[in-house]
Amino acid sequence: MKYRHHLRSTFSLLVFGFASVSLAGAALAGDMPKRKSGLWEINMRHNASPGMGPMQQCIDQNTDNLMQQKAKDSKQDCSVMDVKTSGSKVIIHSVCKIEGSTATTDSVFEGAFDSSYKGTMKTQFSPPMHGMSESNMALDARWLGPCKPGQKPGDVIMPNMGGVNINEMMKQHQQQQR
């Protein structure tokens, strides 16, 4: 049971992280480039689970569209969304309601989203969310090439945790909210 809770919390943070990047794109005059279709390696470091190792995600344009739509849907719950760009850097300050908590996030993302990017996110939760009052996350992502045989868009493989399909998780989450 503890393993499943950890997996769900990690994926909630992963979706939250990608949603922040997508929110930045939605807030800009022009959309940020979407990630190139194929297999991406994402190294995340989080204060709740440091050193979990690289995960891999098979994506296509629909996957990024779903994440962008999730971000646009969640934007309705944000009282502040301040996005600034400078070259290949995007700086985001947001205040959003998430699962009954107010999340104040400061993020910086930079890179070429069609080949590699990195980011840092510091979030304070009031009241604490899942027992966490603060979350510090850093990520580095790089495109590896085409998805492996048998993988479908949205498949995420996490070390020592197996795999899930993030597209299916987002669809289930949307259905549960209806």
Side-chain angles (χ1 to χ4, degrees), residues 94-119:
S94 64
V95 179
C96 303
K97 290 282 189 188
I98 301 171
E99 297 183 26
S101 181
T102 299
T104 303
T105 304
D106 289 294
S107 306
V108 177
F109 295 95
E110 60 185 310
F113 289 86
D114 64 345
S115 60
S116 67
Y117 60 94
K118 61 183 179 176

Side-chain angles (χ1 to χ4, degrees), residues 15-40:
V15 172
F16 182 68
F18 286 130
S20 294
V21 174
S22 297
L23 277 171
L28 298 171
D31 287 336
M32 288 174 60
K34 292 182 183 174
R35 293 177 296 164
K36 183 188 294 187
S37 293
L39 188 61
W40 282 81

Side-chain angles (χ1 to χ4, degrees), residues 69-137:
Q69 186 60 49
K70 172 78 172 157
K72 287 177 183 175
D73 292 347
S74 67
K75 188 175 181 179
Q76 298 169 3
D77 295 333
C78 296
S79 59
V80 176
M81 181 56 64
D82 183 27
V83 181
K84 296 178 180 159
T85 60
S86 177
S88 64
K89 187 182 283 189
V90 179
I91 301 164
I92 306 167
H93 172 75
S94 64
V95 179
C96 303
K97 290 282 189 188
I98 301 171
E99 297 183 26
S101 181
T102 299
T104 303
T105 304
D106 289 294
S107 306
V108 177
F109 295 95
E110 60 185 310
F113 289 86
D114 64 345
S115 60
S116 67
Y117 60 94
K118 61 183 179 176
T120 58
M121 294 175 39
K122 181 176 182 174
T123 304
Q124 294 183 337
F125 299 99
S126 180
M129 185 170 84
H130 302 294
M132 244 189 317
S133 59
E134 184 175 292
S135 167
N136 293 296
M137 183 188 303

